[in-house]
Amino acid sequence: MIHSLFLVNASGDIFLEKHWKSVVSRSVCDYFFEAQERATEPENVPPVISTPHHYLISVLRHRIYFVAVIQSEVPPLFVIEFLHRVVDTFQDYFGVCTEAAIKDNVVVVYELLEEMLDNGFPLATESNILKELIKPPTILRTMVNTITGSTNVGEQLPTGQLSVVPWRRTGVKYTNNEAYFDVVEEIDAIIDKSGSTITAEIQGVIDACVKLTGMPDLTLSFMNPRLLDDVSFHPCVRFKRWEAERILSFIPPDGNFRLLSYHVSSQNLVAIPVYVKHNITFREGSSQGRFDLTLGPKQTMGKAVESVLVSSQLPRGVLNASLNPSQGTYTFDPVTKLLTWDVGKINPQKLPSLKGTMSLQAGASKPDENPTINIQFKIQQMAISGLKVNRLDMYGEKYKPFKGIKYMTKAGKFQVRT
Amino acid sequence: MQEFANQLCENRQFGFKMTDSKYFTTTKKGEIFELKAELNSDKKEKKKEAVKKVIASMTVGKDVSALFPDVVNCMQTDNLELKKLVYLYLMNYAKSQPDMAIMAVNTFVKDCEDPNPLIRALAVRTMGCIRVDKITEYLCEPLRKCLKDEDPYVRKTAAVCVAKLHDINAQLVEDQGFLDTLKDLISDSNPMVVANAVAALSEIAESHPNSNLLDLNPQTINKLLTALNECTEWGQIFILDCLANYTPRDDRESQSICERVTPRLSHANSAVVLSAVKVLMKFMEMLPKDLDYYGTLLKKLAPPLVTLLSAEPELQYVALRNINLIVQRRPEILKHEMKVFFVKYNDPIYVKLEKLDIMIRLASQANIAQVLAELKEYATEVDVDFVRKAVRAIGRCAIKVEQSAERCVSTLLDLIQTKVNYVVQEAIVVIKDIFRKYPNKYESVIGTLCENLDSLDEPEARAAMIWIVGEYAERIDNADELLESFLEGFHDESTQVQLQLLTAIVKLFLKKPTETQELVQQVLSLATQDSDNPDLRDRGYIYWRLLSTDPVAAKEVVLAEKPLISEETDLIEPTLLEELICHIGTLASVYHKPPSAFVEGSRGVQHKRLAGSAGSGESVESPDAGSAAGASEAPPAVIPSQGDLLGDLLNLDLTPPTTAGPPPPPSSGMQMGAMDLLGGGLDSLLGGDLGGSPAMGAGFAAPPAAMPASFSAPVSSGLDDLFDLGGGVGMPMGAYSPPKTVWLPAMKAKGLEISGTFARRAGVIQMEMTLTNKAMSVMTDFAIQFNRNSFGLAPAGPLQVLSPLSPNQSIEVTLPLNTVGPVMKMDPLNNLQVAVKNNIDVFYFSCQYPISMLFVEDGKMERQVFLATWKDIPNDNESQFQIKDCHLSSDASSSKLQGSNIFTIAKRTVEGQDMLYQSMKLTNGIWLLAELRVQTGNPNYTSATVSVPDGLCLAFQTDHLGASLLPSLQSDHGFICNSLCFLPFKLLSLSVTQLSCLKIQFHICSLYSSHSLT
């Protein structure tokens, strides 16, 4: 199982280590540093590295490498999932997961890690259980603790740990009972030069914020559940009910959680909400290149496309770009060659465009590579797959909760090749 | 001053916030005393703060072990947080302060009795983490109690504690019976306890490969499946991994397990999903393919795998490595999902490369257009590694999907036109493969390729280009100039290029002999004289020899038809794949290596095979297998032909009586070779006989039996000389044992080469083998089995190959044999059919053992009996045999033969000839009598033929006296023994089939021999 954990920052310093079995020397990380040096980009460090006596499995989140050391055959996904859980927990506790935040809360971090793994076996990774065991630091609590000498460690056995519904604590009480669901869909797509779709898929999630008193039992039904053929559920969802009736039936955890994630693959028709007209050309022998980009809405069901951000990695030979946006602002970083254009909202009547020239190194040959255009956008009040929640019912409790549902579509990895 | 500056610095950094970072400021040496004082303070709050400071220092790797006693003093407290902090400290430092740690034991034992289950669990958990022997002794009793605690939270913590304790002191755990308690916990009512018990047992089992710790039966499986639905995600992983080790009894059980595991595919935790995929992939093997459920299951597997690819890149990477395996095993699962493997430009490189690999595996006629368009796109990306792999992938597509070959070639040509150096080089390497796959189809592009000759600077690309020039020399007008240009820097080239250049020039010479003599001489001399590389030198000599002795044969060898390459070359070997499928989701599956090959601590992992195909692994045990194999396995005809090449090589080295060894023949030899080349060799080449005259052809491809003895002889004598040396020192009376021959060539056995011989040592027949692994992967699990044979030879024990055989490794194995196995008449009589199994497959070969192996030690007949029997043998059972070139006196022969259990009963001298009368006995009790006549005055006594008194011997001669064995007849040691091999076969075959105590006697001498049947 997981032997040790090292946290490494972007400059290659180990700023925290934790061992669940015997102590493994820091020098084991040298193999990681070697790999880090070889990698051209921070994210290119291979996630599994073998050393003579150990294996290093790492994830990169928030510019921190979480490097787990294992010694025997352990499923790597298990380790990676656990590391992600660690990151999520830190973020949950400290608001952000940065080196400074971790250093500021080093004792809590240590206590958390100790609670999360025992001898390398996961112990308590559910955030509501952890929060019962170790209270998250807040400014108020720190003050109170300092004054009264009380502690931020729970005295009681976490009740959820052993119940049939380990994700929910008992005795939850709210004055305002509310349940909100966000249906968020991300489109991943690759569009080729001519504008036709090479691949497009939708990664959808339903994130919930449930603050309900007692032990409510919820059911959520959809207008078009047939869209959901590839789903992953929160453990609280009763799988049999879903199989039989296509209804989500569950006792929700308290607070924020991800109820469901789903995947609508390219076989089903995925609507593409924006199109790009582009003309990026370099001429042989000339030190100038032309850049011409126009964006427009496509299949948006009448909703506005907002927060549009276009970015593109221009070829290495490009020295500078002098462009003229019809709206928004653009920046070009001459070092990384990254062009970003903050467009804002697309107005269908007056399509946003970015036109101008790029200057190349004098005498250099025409760049070989074609830049790819990356687009980010948001569309409120619409799930691009067409998924619609039908109704939400609550059983087991008497009160009437306040219910809300929100839809949003975002661009995931939305790439246009030129 | 410096310290002060540091302090300032740190203070500024953390800005005196109300956070834990303030603890970092108190770790300088002077502060240890301060901390000590604070730890011993009366105020609880101050104590706690001090412990926090200590922990903070510890986490950043600073040594605060000096505070051990003071921290331990804080342990007796009601404050849970303080207690936990002290526990944290203890775990870290107990090892370095074992005596001090004892002080903590009492508190632990007391805490294990605490009414609060959280404290009980915490105490037992912490105690297990203190890796000090003295403490573990005290741990046993509390642990025993906690394992039976009423609170499941304590039980599940205790279960893990057993694993910890086992890691520290395995013997103690076994002695205390904790393992049994742990096994009982599998039936616990609480699913979390079950999951932890399974996890603990799995970890312990890893260090006990043969123990039956996780003895899975339908009842336990049922319990696990029930717990699976209710435990945490991590517990589900442990249980699923454990389930994967189970082999269901039948397809119905298999299906019911699959049905209960399938819901896990919808879990949000990707590790759970992948473990579920593993179980399903394994148990699917047992389901009949026509079952409806089988199809349903296949459909259900695709979506979760696709979903894994939308996760974080690290998860994607592991998923992709596993999908790579799944796609090889069951391509149908993902055949419609090609698009999800298309590369996004900002994927990390390790994800890109894996996706590319899977794209090729999924490429088919249906989707090839799309794939090619993508690949072409990738080939213009920025990342060099990725671009190279994309270009290579285009080549692989061409080879895999024949219909696409033309498009691939034109795509590659487009890429070559870009003139991007590394793209051009990769393209040329793959075009070479395309030429080999589709000969005579795309050679029109050669011209374009030649244009880029100068830009090639990588060995692989240069070698590929040289290969193309050599292969198509007749179509390239200036092939000689091109190759000559490479030759100039011959010594600076890598071996790969040198070898290729040598071959290419020889090809060129054979195709255009008139213009390229100088060139070929130049390259041969470069290769043989100026090079230190044995491979290059050997290849040089082979060509030289071939060209000088028989150019037509050379032509047939060098310009032979090449075996086609197929797309299968990059597939993982089926047996390894099967094993890896059983290990989906593990490190093994990420590295695509068998689990035994790596990861320290897994001191012997049982090899898992897919259930459905287990039959193939067992077949070696079934008695019929051997005979079935034997039928398909003719006595390997490859061997002599290989042998003669080998002989040729050795001959080359052995003929010049230089003692120095390796140094190549001096320049005069070179001259001779050159003359030779221009002499007879060229004549026939230029004589218009290019097609190869029938006579020449026959001479080259002559059947092994007619292989001239002349060149084989020096080989074996050379080897025998060596052998004599060994025998002379080690065992003067040692039995003759022929030199090892290749029984199973590597190409027939997926890389396993077996050569061997038989010997009789100290009364035991031994099969001595050299196993060589010429494959790319490790071989393990060797076993051997014989088919029924004439003398009932059978292995007396298992084949002892203890360590796995890694690539390019050889191992010497001696297998003792007995003669109590089942008997069946073989033809030839001394034929032995053998089946060898390893982790890859079962292989069959046959070999022949010298009959002298069967001569037992008590084969000395009494004189009187001998005389009487001798007379009783009828004349028509007599066989005569003659041995040439025997340099031994009668006494020397006699003592030599005694080493092989051929005993001299009497000797007399008649007319200057020594007559030896000899007897020997076979393992099945059959006696053989012989008369040996040695002409003392004339050691080089030669007489042309064997005299054949009856028709029987003639049959032997034609049947068995293959020319390949003549050399051993002539060698000093083996001569009698081997002649014995052949003579009595027909007769023996009569008797062994009846298995009675029939006595066959036969009689041999240097001029004649006789045998008879009584």
Side-chain angles (χ1 to χ4, degrees), chain B residues 647-779:
Chain B
D648 204 10
L649 260 179
L650 287 172
N651 207 352
L652 212 74
D653 272 347
L654 288 175
T655 30
T658 46
T659 42
S667 55
S668 66
M670 163 70 189
Q671 289 293 326
M672 268 172 60
M675 275 168 63
D676 223 10
L677 258 179
L678 299 174
L682 262 184
D683 286 353
S684 61
L685 250 188
L686 295 173
D689 226 3
L690 290 171
S693 68
M696 288 298 239
F700 177 68
M707 204 50 75
S710 58
F711 75 37
S712 300
V715 184
S716 44
S717 73
L719 283 170
D720 283 348
D721 282 345
L722 280 175
F723 192 79
D724 198 21
L725 218 69
V729 180
M731 29 169 196
M733 295 301 283
Y736 168 69
S737 162
K740 281 185 180 173
T741 50
V742 176
W743 286 337
L744 181 68
M747 54 193 288
K748 283 198 165 183
K750 299 185 179 165
L752 175 66
E753 188 190 74
I754 300 179
S755 58
T757 182
F758 292 85
R760 188 182 181 94
R761 303 201 199 286
V764 181
I765 307 170
Q766 290 177 336
M767 191 167 174
E768 298 177 337
M769 287 177 286
T770 307
L771 308 181
T772 310
N773 182 354
K774 297 193 169 172
M776 302 300 288
S777 60
V778 174
M779 295 179 179

Side-chain angles (χ1 to χ4, degrees), chain B residues 370-382:
Chain B
Q370 244 180 350
V371 173
L372 266 183
E374 279 296 300
L375 292 177
K376 201 174 170 187
E377 192 71 42
Y378 303 160
T380 62
E381 279 217 25
V382 193

Side-chain angles (χ1 to χ4, degrees), chain A residues 92-94 105 108 135-146 152, chain B residues 18-19:
Chain A
D92 195 18
Y93 265 71
F94 314 129
N105 297 287
V108 177
K135 303 261 180 348
T138 58
I139 293 171
L140 183 68
R141 187 168 299 120
T142 321
M143 298 289 284
V144 171
N145 284 358
T146 327
N152 64 343
Chain B
M18 285 291 282
T19 61

Side-chain angles (χ1 to χ4, degrees), chain A residues 99-358:
Chain A
E99 186 180 350
I102 291 171
K103 276 186 168 170
D104 283 351
N105 297 287
V106 70
V107 176
V108 177
V109 165
Y110 225 59
E111 284 171 339
L112 278 174
L113 290 176
E114 187 59 35
E115 272 325 314
M116 290 179 86
L117 276 189
D118 174 23
N119 196 37
F121 296 99
L123 198 59
T125 53
E126 286 284 340
S127 99
N128 65 350
I129 296 174
L130 282 171
K131 281 183 177 163
E132 275 184 67
L133 284 169
I134 301 155
K135 303 261 180 348
T138 58
I139 293 171
L140 183 68
R141 187 168 299 120
T142 321
M143 298 289 284
V144 171
N145 284 358
T146 327
I147 296 159
T148 62
S150 68
T151 117
N152 64 343
V153 171
E155 296 282 344
Q156 282 307 307
L157 182 64
T159 45
Q161 193 97 323
L162 293 166
S163 76
V164 216
V165 278
W167 54 86
R168 188 173 180 89
R169 60 194 172 97
T170 49
V172 183
K173 274 211 176 72
Y174 289 101
T175 42
N176 295 323
N177 289 297
E178 44 193 25
Y180 296 112
F181 294 87
D182 291 351
V183 180
V184 182
E185 295 192 340
E186 288 190 3
I187 310 184
D188 288 354
I190 303 178
I191 314 283
D192 78 359
K193 280 189 196 49
S194 59
S196 52
T197 310
I198 292 179
T199 105
E201 49 189 350
I202 296 170
Q203 315 290 346
V205 294
I206 299 182
D207 283 336
C209 175
V210 177
K211 293 180 174 168
L212 297 173
T213 308
M215 271 286 169
D217 198 330
L218 303 179
T219 56
L220 185 75
S221 62
F222 298 95
M223 306 277 265
N224 39 8
R226 285 175 59 199
L227 273 173
L228 305 176
D229 63 339
D230 179 6
V231 281
S232 315
F233 297 117
H234 189 276
C236 68
V237 176
R238 296 183 181 98
F239 189 74
K240 286 219 172 92
R241 249 340 262 277
W242 170 257
E243 286 277 270
E245 306 166 49
R246 296 277 144 175
I247 283 175
L248 293 179
S249 158
F250 55 97
I251 295 171
D254 185 38
N256 295 310
F257 67 101
R258 176 156 295 173
L259 177 65
L260 166 78
S261 54
Y262 58 95
H263 181 249
V264 180
S265 61
S266 39
Q267 261 84 40
N268 309 25
L269 241 124
V270 177
I272 302 293
V274 292
Y275 71 88
V276 182
K277 269 199 263 176
H278 54 79
N279 184 12
I280 302 174
T281 48
F282 302 98
R283 257 177 306 140
E284 198 67 69
S286 154
S287 62
Q288 292 268 311
R290 256 186 71 193
F291 189 98
D292 189 342
L293 204 71
T294 309
L295 290 174
K298 218 171 162 184
Q299 297 152 289
T300 61
M301 301 173 212
K303 303 280 194 296
V305 184
E306 301 169 324
S307 311
V308 181
L309 185 75
V310 176
S311 60
S312 179
Q313 186 78 47
L314 295 185
R316 273 165 295 186
V318 176
L319 281 183
N320 214 336
S322 125
L323 306 171
N324 184 22
S326 69
Q327 72 181 75
T329 52
Y330 86 95
T331 55
F332 177 72
D333 184 337
V335 180
T336 59
K337 314 292 182 200
L338 186 69
L339 174 80
T340 47
W341 175 29
D342 191 345
V343 183
K345 194 170 164 179
I346 296 183
N347 177 0
Q349 270 73 52
K350 188 174 172 291
L351 297 179
S353 65
L354 182 66
K355 290 178 185 168
T357 56
M358 296 169 289

Side-chain angles (χ1 to χ4, degrees), chain A residues 1 15-18 21-23 26 43-50 52-53 55 58-61 70-78 80-82 84-85 103-108 110-111 114-115 118-119 121-123 125-126 133 142 146 149-158 161-162 188 190 193 198-199 201 203 229-233 235 239 243 263 266-267 316 368-370 372 374 413 415 417, chain B residues 13-14 17-21 23-24 45 48 52 55-56 58-61 79-81 84-85 88 91-92 116-118 125 129 131 151-153 156-157 160 163-164 190 199-200 203 206 233-234 237-238 241 263 266-271 274 300 303-304 306-307 310 312 314-315 317-318 336-337 339-340 342-350 374 377-378 380 382 420 585-588 590-591 598-600:
Chain A
M1 291 294 122
F15 64 92
L16 189 110
E17 59 183 295
K18 166 77 186 147
K21 293 181 167 187
S22 50
V23 175
R26 276 177 175 227
E43 57 267 28
N44 282 349
V45 180
V48 186
I49 298 169
S50 68
H53 302 289
Y55 283 80
S58 62
V59 303
L60 173 68
R61 294 272 298 263
I70 58 172
Q71 201 161 23
S72 56
E73 177 68 89
V74 179
L77 275 190
F78 163 92
I80 295 175
E81 280 281 357
F82 176 79
H84 283 308
R85 207 58 59 86
K103 276 186 168 170
D104 283 351
N105 297 287
V106 70
V107 176
V108 177
Y110 225 59
E111 284 171 339
E114 187 59 35
E115 272 325 314
D118 174 23
N119 196 37
F121 296 99
L123 198 59
T125 53
E126 286 284 340
L133 284 169
T142 321
T146 327
S150 68
T151 117
N152 64 343
V153 171
E155 296 282 344
Q156 282 307 307
L157 182 64
Q161 193 97 323
L162 293 166
D188 288 354
I190 303 178
K193 280 189 196 49
I198 292 179
T199 105
E201 49 189 350
Q203 315 290 346
D229 63 339
D230 179 6
V231 281
S232 315
F233 297 117
F239 189 74
E243 286 277 270
H263 181 249
S266 39
Q267 261 84 40
R316 273 165 295 186
D368 303 312
E369 67 259 30
N370 302 319
T372 303
N374 212 17
K413 287 182 170 175
Q415 305 181 348
R417 291 177 183 159
Chain B
Q13 191 176 349
F14 298 112
K17 273 180 284 181
M18 285 291 282
T19 61
D20 293 343
S21 61
Y23 305 125
F24 284 102
E45 194 45 40
K48 202 173 85 186
K52 277 195 175 183
I55 300 286
M58 189 180 84
T59 53
V60 292
N79 184 315
L80 195 57
E81 189 187 14
K84 277 190 171 181
L85 289 172
L88 271 180
M91 282 187 248
N92 221 12
N116 184 346
L118 190 57
R125 189 175 124 200
C129 292
R131 306 172 66 85
D151 195 306
Y153 183 71
K156 83 170 193 163
T157 314
V160 173
K164 294 181 199 171
N190 185 291
E203 188 170 86
E206 228 173 64
E233 49 199 312
W234 314 112
I237 300 170
F238 299 139
D241 286 347
S266 299
H267 202 286
N269 186 319
S270 59
L274 204 55
K300 279 190 174 166
V306 171
T307 303
S310 53
E312 287 84 354
E314 298 94 1
L315 293 170
Y317 171 73
V318 177
H336 297 304
E337 304 289 346
K339 284 181 174 180
V340 299
F342 285 179
V343 173
K344 307 226 166 59
Y345 84 96
N346 46 4
D347 283 334
I349 181 73
Y350 55 81
E374 279 296 300
E377 192 71 42
Y378 303 160
T380 62
V382 193
V420 178
T586 63
L587 280 170
V590 172
Y591 282 91
F598 65 115
V599 176
E600 211 169 74

